Amino acid sequence: MTGGTSPSARRITDVLLEEYGRTYAAEAGIRLGNTPQPLYQLLVLSDLLSARIRAPVAVAAARALFAHGMRTPRRMADATWQQRVDALGEGGYRRYDERTSTQLGEGARLVLDVWKGDLRRLRAEADGDTEALRAGLRRVPGIGPAGADIFVREVQDVWPETGFWVGAKGIQGAERLGLPASTGRLSRLARDEDRAAFAAALVRAALDRKTAEAVRETALARK
């Protein structure tokens, strides 16, 4: 940076939230709340985002599934394998479409069988223990550690008992931005009402070096 100076963590955070402070759920058209349908939609999005595929493609695929009516575990389970494949293809999610279609069908049936279609039952089972919540999520086909991280990161404003959650990818983004590389210190920068958006913005910085550079440059210019 010019003259060896660097923008403050507060300014970086402010710019980051202004420019990139939106959750992936919001981008996928999910109006997230503590009700069964949007929570299930977030589970689907977490599955799609956790694959080795660009985030915009995963978001587009989620939108396509929902546009075809697959917004609940019952509708997902009742859809044919080919209908799920076709919807994923519409969103550009072609590399993993066949495997993901199978996982979505199996996952929907598990959510119906284990939690009666309502992920709030999983929340109640976890009883405020985030690791128990993540373990429960990993029971769902297609949801591994990365998918569980994504779900917890996105749901934290709705289920605040998770605590502030950024995951490994969020920490990577913080490092790239020159922000503290610890969840505790980052939590002090996050605004209470913007925790999920801040965490998602950190992930965007991790996924795109140019994003991080642009944020730092804008923050420096405000000094």
Side-chain angles (χ1 to χ4, degrees):
M1 308 304 296
T2 305
T5 62
S6 62
S8 73
R10 181 73 268 162
R11 289 202 307 278
I12 291 172
T13 300
D14 288 344
V15 172
L16 186 67
L17 281 168
E18 288 168 16
E19 300 293 332
Y20 302 100
R22 62 191 180 280
T23 63
Y24 285 94
E27 205 169 295
I30 302 169
R31 298 184 67 177
L32 196 56
N34 191 35
T35 54
Q37 183 168 301
L39 291 171
Y40 174 69
Q41 291 174 344
L42 176 58
L43 186 71
V44 170
L45 178 63
S46 299
D47 182 345
L48 300 177
L49 282 168
S50 64
R52 292 181 179 276
I53 200 160
R54 292 189 307 113
V57 174
V59 168
R63 281 184 167 275
L65 287 164
F66 304 151
H68 283 273
M70 291 172 247
R71 304 183 190 93
T72 68
R74 174 55 61 196
R75 294 293 297 274
M76 186 69 77
D78 287 347
T80 67
W81 179 85
Q82 190 60 54
Q83 285 172 328
R84 292 191 294 266
V85 167
D86 290 345
L88 290 166
E90 274 187 32
Y93 202 92
R94 296 185 179 87
R95 183 177 176 188
Y96 302 103
D97 55 353
E98 295 186 357
R99 183 185 71 185
T100 301
S101 175
T102 299
Q103 290 173 342
L104 289 172
E106 293 174 348
R109 286 186 284 274
L110 182 138
V111 171
L112 289 167
D113 292 344
V114 175
W115 300 301
K116 311 304 180 188
D118 187 348
L119 289 171
R120 293 176 300 181
R121 292 175 180 264
L122 169 59
R123 181 188 189 184
E125 288 175 8
D127 194 25
D129 184 335
T130 304
E131 288 307 313
L133 174 61
R134 293 176 72 246
L137 290 165
R138 292 198 300 272
R139 295 176 62 185
V140 180
I143 300 292
D149 269 358
I150 292 165
F151 185 96
V152 174
R153 188 186 76 219
E154 293 275 315
V155 85
Q156 62 185 300
D157 291 338
V158 178
W159 292 356
E161 69 272 16
T162 62
F164 181 60
W165 191 270
V166 295
K169 188 62 71 173
I171 292 294
Q172 181 183 331
E175 291 175 337
R176 181 168 282 179
L177 288 161
L179 293 175
S182 77
T183 301
R185 293 177 68 189
L186 287 170
S187 70
R188 291 192 285 274
L189 290 171
R191 299 166 183 155
D192 286 345
E193 70 276 15
D194 291 326
R195 296 188 310 166
F198 180 40
L202 290 172
V203 170
R204 288 187 172 88
L207 295 175
D208 185 356
R209 186 179 296 277
K210 289 182 179 179
T211 292
E213 291 173 352
V215 168
R216 286 182 59 84
E217 288 173 5
T218 301
L220 183 62
R222 291 185 180 182
K223 187 172 181 180

